[in-house]
Amino acid sequence: MIFARQQQFHGAEHLSFFLWGARQTGKSTLLKTLFPQSIYIDLLQSQVFRRYNQFPELLRERLLAENPAYPVIIDEIQKVPALLNEIHWLIENTPFRFILSGSSPRKLLRGGVNLLGGRALRYELYPLSYSEIPDFDLLRAFHHGLLPKIYLSSHYEQLIDAYVGSYLSDEIVSETRIRRLDVFSRFLEKAIFSNGSIVNYTNIAADCGVSSNTVKEYFQILQDMLWGTFIEPYQKKPKRRIVVSPRFYFFDVGIANFLMKQRKIEPGTEAFGRSLEHFIFHELRTYAHYSGKKYPIYFWRTSSGLETDFILGENEVAIEVKGADFIH
């Protein structure tokens, strides 16, 4: 099945840019489809990684010799941050363009690395949107999730299990300073039940046997590594006392349901309603980014329990999500 991705990089026709996205969102496939004539450097290949990690200046030498007419694609750029100095020089001194993709910007953001000083735009690729999937199946999305390979597979549970294991063993170990992977795994098991809810750091910390500050750091790691995002409460309603803590959504509805051990989601159940809300958030966020509108997304909840699931922009649109036959 071919997925017609909506991310087209309008506005970057003559500029370099970063493309970030969690693993298996389809970054490489999209870039190879849109830029088939580009030089493609994959830093996941061991020999390529070793070469440029040891001698980053080889990139400059190669490109000056080849004089590429199309954007140069470097995949998993976070693995060799030193290449960004070479890329910076090439952008300043040549007409070359670069597309720098990766699954985690954390190392670059937290390491004081050269991020090209505003010389490159930033885009993100999310899991599939319903508009990108022929014959879209909502229940399949809830169970399989929206990563292209896993959405299509009949063995989705095994693939999700391997995906989560790979994330913990590879990305967490290589991109962070966490030494107790068992503690982080326990945090992930507890944090998943905050998906779509207001985060209570104290309760999660007590369940995990760590401090609240450690839990906040762990949530920040999830966000930095594109595994989830916070949405803030809308606070411009002065006549009511409102909740000021954020909500957190994991990046994929299927992975969230797998981690919560929700294996059979049926219409009319609480799990269906929570999954639908999560899915709608994903669609709103995806559209905001791909369309270029980039409207902020909030939620609104009073201390007495009145709430609206999503507020778009400056109170321009309010959305309440209900997975029920009759709405009151």
Side-chain angles (χ1 to χ4, degrees), residues 201-256:
Y201 298 109
T202 302
N203 288 351
I204 297 173
D207 289 341
C208 296
V210 297
S211 68
S212 294
N213 286 337
T214 297
V215 169
K216 290 179 182 179
E217 179 189 351
Y218 285 177
F219 269 109
Q220 188 60 55
I221 287 171
L222 291 177
Q223 183 163 260
D224 286 349
M225 300 184 73
L226 310 178
W227 255 54
T229 188
F230 287 102
I231 66 169
E232 300 295 329
Y234 189 79
Q235 301 188 48
K236 299 181 181 179
K237 285 283 187 181
K239 293 184 179 180
R240 292 187 181 273
R241 293 179 58 198
I242 62 170
V243 171
V244 295
S245 298
R247 282 180 174 174
F248 190 84
Y249 286 91
F250 278 75
F251 81 106
D252 181 76
V253 61
I255 288 178

Side-chain angles (χ1 to χ4, degrees), residues 135-143 151 272 275-276 279:
D135 301 318
F136 173 72
D137 184 329
L138 184 63
L139 286 176
R140 187 181 187 91
F142 290 174
H143 291 95
Y151 178 83
F272 182 91
S275 297
L276 182 63
F279 170 74

Side-chain angles (χ1 to χ4, degrees), residues 1-10 17-22 24-38 40 71 73-75 99-102 122-129 132 148 286 289-290:
M1 182 182 293
I2 297 175
F3 300 110
R5 305 308 300 265
Q6 300 298 309
Q7 178 61 277
Q8 297 294 316
F9 313 113
H10 298 302
F17 61 87
F18 290 96
L19 175 63
W20 299 108
Q24 297 188 30
T25 48
K27 301 182 297 298
S28 300
T29 300
L30 176 62
L31 294 176
K32 288 177 180 179
T33 300
L34 295 179
F35 304 96
Q37 295 173 296
S38 289
Y40 185 86
I73 300 171
I74 303 179
D75 201 2
I99 300 173
L100 311 170
S101 67
R122 172 177 172 145
Y123 296 89
E124 287 189 39
L125 190 67
Y126 302 121
L128 294 166
S129 165
E132 298 172 328
T286 300
H289 187 75
Y290 292 176

Side-chain angles (χ1 to χ4, degrees), residues 51-304:
R51 183 187 311 135
Y52 287 115
N53 190 50
Q54 189 171 3
F55 302 108
E57 65 274 14
L58 291 177
L59 177 69
R60 174 161 35 108
E61 295 174 5
R62 174 184 176 180
L63 297 184
L64 289 174
E66 296 187 21
N67 193 28
Y70 298 94
V72 177
I73 300 171
I74 303 179
D75 201 2
E76 299 299 339
I77 183 63
Q78 78 278 358
K79 291 189 172 297
V80 187
L83 282 177
L84 288 165
N85 290 328
E86 298 295 329
I87 293 166
H88 188 160
W89 187 92
L90 288 164
I91 290 174
E92 289 288 300
N93 294 280
T94 72
F96 304 159
R97 292 171 57 211
F98 294 87
I99 300 173
L100 311 170
S101 67
S103 58
S104 170
R106 179 179 171 83
K107 183 185 291 184
L108 305 185
L109 293 171
R110 304 290 169 178
V113 172
N114 182 352
L115 290 175
L116 307 181
R119 293 167 180 81
L121 302 178
R122 172 177 172 145
Y123 296 89
E124 287 189 39
L125 190 67
Y126 302 121
L128 294 166
S129 165
Y130 86 95
S131 62
E132 298 172 328
I133 304 175
D135 301 318
F136 173 72
D137 184 329
L138 184 63
L139 286 176
R140 187 181 187 91
F142 290 174
H143 291 95
H144 293 226
L146 292 161
L147 295 174
K149 180 179 178 181
I150 300 176
Y151 178 83
L152 292 173
S153 176
S154 58
H155 304 289
Y156 67 95
E157 290 190 347
Q158 295 95 313
L159 289 178
I160 293 176
D161 191 40
Y163 185 93
V164 173
S166 174
Y167 168 76
L168 291 173
S169 62
D170 295 344
E171 299 217 4
I172 289 295
V173 171
S174 63
E175 302 291 333
T176 73
R177 296 180 179 178
I178 291 177
R179 297 179 179 177
R180 293 290 306 278
L181 193 57
D182 58 327
V183 176
F184 189 86
S185 298
R186 188 159 63 249
F187 155 76
L188 195 59
E189 291 174 359
K190 304 299 181 182
I192 192 61
F193 290 97
S194 295
N195 184 56
S197 303
I198 294 168
V199 178
N200 188 315
Y201 298 109
T202 302
N203 288 351
I204 297 173
D207 289 341
C208 296
V210 297
S211 68
S212 294
N213 286 337
T214 297
V215 169
K216 290 179 182 179
E217 179 189 351
Y218 285 177
F219 269 109
Q220 188 60 55
I221 287 171
L222 291 177
Q223 183 163 260
D224 286 349
M225 300 184 73
L226 310 178
W227 255 54
T229 188
F230 287 102
I231 66 169
E232 300 295 329
Y234 189 79
Q235 301 188 48
K236 299 181 181 179
K237 285 283 187 181
K239 293 184 179 180
R240 292 187 181 273
R241 293 179 58 198
I242 62 170
V243 171
V244 295
S245 298
R247 282 180 174 174
F248 190 84
Y249 286 91
F250 278 75
F251 81 106
D252 181 76
V253 61
I255 288 178
N257 284 329
F258 177 84
L259 290 172
M260 284 189 281
K261 298 179 172 56
Q262 294 180 155
R263 298 296 190 262
K264 190 169 180 61
I265 300 168
E266 299 285 356
T269 64
E270 180 182 355
F272 182 91
R274 289 171 62 90
S275 297
L276 182 63
E277 180 187 316
H278 188 172
F279 170 74
I280 294 299
F281 169 71
H282 166 71
E283 291 296 324
L284 293 171
R285 184 183 183 219
T286 300
Y287 179 73
H289 187 75
Y290 292 176
S291 68
K293 297 179 186 296
K294 298 189 183 298
Y295 48 77
I297 303 175
Y298 306 98
F299 73 96
W300 182 75
R301 181 181 175 88
T302 68
S303 56
S304 62

